[in-house]
Amino acid sequence: MDLAYIPSPSTGVINLGPIPLRGYAFCIIIGVFVAVWYGNKRWIARGGTAGTVADIAVWAVPFGLVGGRLYHVITDYQLYFSEGENWVDAFKIWEGGLGIWGAIALGAVGAWIGCRRRGIPLPAYADAIAPGIAFAQAIGRWGNWFNQELYGKPTDLPWALKITESANREAGLYHPTFLYESLWCVGVAVLVIWADRRFKLGHGRAFALYVAAYCAGRAWIEYMRVDEAHHVLGLRLNVWTAIIVFALAVAYMVISARVRPGREEVVEPKAAKAAAEAAADGDDDVADAAPDLEKRTDASDDSGDSADSGGSAGDVEHGADNGAGSAAKS
């Protein structure tokens, strides 16, 4: 007799009159709000302005959702395009099926578009939102709990997940891999926050750390899953993806640290310059809200004014070079 286990919801949908509230979609939406809210706090702390993260998210989120769905449909095409399946189901995103690899890849394209429109270096933006994305993933994984999907191998552990029988699954107690990944993502977010404060990560290295740490956990969690998946050389496709992306993220951190050490002096050049000009005109509120903006504006000013004194001017110009390099890279 099983005395302890994690129950699964009897349904993944709650109907409020004619409006269905789907648990999977609800978790995704909450995750997005958390990522934008926390990313905004980090962006402001780095010298950016409030609202910028949300403005860029307007581009990044839709691209990410499309990318996540595309990755899932392409890698699990047999679920939608094999004999007896209905290809229209490929558009039913609320039933589950978002690949994080595609979501991050295409979401980055959307973020790049938003950053270019505001004159912001993409690596600086990525660093600001990295922990928020990890928190969003932790929340989003609970959508799989509502859908009773992506569980692991059978187990009799006290925290086993109880799965009910349906056309596509067998009733039993399984490893709650959704919970393992959710907890792992929380740990990744905490790691990035700590490392960013401790080592002043910049130029995309905080984001690369998030990617590498997530991949390390995803590899062993993926290995535990029993849902149908394509295999390459005996390993699930997502395990190979995690290994490759992990290696690329680590390589980026090492190379970036050598080429562009330190952190960007200016993350939002236009906003910093405007605030500094307002402060120069005697706006005390702006001056109080934006300390050292005059120094940062000098660093981002392309005119190269050399009227400032030697040592400090050299430091500011070095910061400008780093900021410009990041902008060019993005």
Side-chain angles (χ1 to χ4, degrees), residues 222-243:
E222 186 74 23
Y223 189 74
M224 297 179 65
R225 283 168 46 173
V226 294
D227 54 300
E228 184 178 355
H230 296 288
H231 286 71
V232 178
L233 299 178
L235 293 178
R236 293 167 66 97
L237 176 61
N238 281 335
V239 174
W240 282 112
T241 304
I243 293 172

Side-chain angles (χ1 to χ4, degrees), residues 288-304:
D288 292 339
D292 298 329
L293 280 175
E294 292 183 0
K295 175 183 175 181
R296 297 188 178 200
T297 303
D298 291 338
S300 63
D301 194 342
D302 293 335
S303 63

Side-chain angles (χ1 to χ4, degrees), residues 22 32 68 74 80 101 145 148 158 186 197 220 270 276 299 304 324:
R22 302 183 183 276
V32 169
I74 291 172
Y80 307 102
W101 318 111
W145 176 63
Q148 296 195 46
V186 171
R197 292 176 178 174
W220 68 265
K270 293 181 180 179

Side-chain angles (χ1 to χ4, degrees), residues 43 52 56 111-125 266-272 300 323-324 326-328 330:
W43 184 252
T52 296
I56 297 176
W112 175 77
I113 294 173
C115 285
R116 280 187 61 87
R117 289 169 61 88
R118 296 186 68 105
I120 293 172
L122 177 60
Y125 179 81
V266 178
V267 296
E268 201 164 353
K270 293 181 180 179
S300 63
S326 296
S330 67

Side-chain angles (χ1 to χ4, degrees), residues 305-324:
D305 191 347
S306 61
D308 295 336
S309 58
S312 61
D315 292 340
V316 173
E317 290 172 3
H318 178 66
D321 292 338
N322 286 343

Side-chain angles (χ1 to χ4, degrees), residues 83-102:
E83 185 177 356
E85 302 294 342
N86 186 358
W87 63 270
V88 176
D89 292 342
F91 297 96
K92 297 179 180 179
I93 191 172
W94 56 86
E95 293 183 354
L98 287 175
I100 186 61
W101 318 111

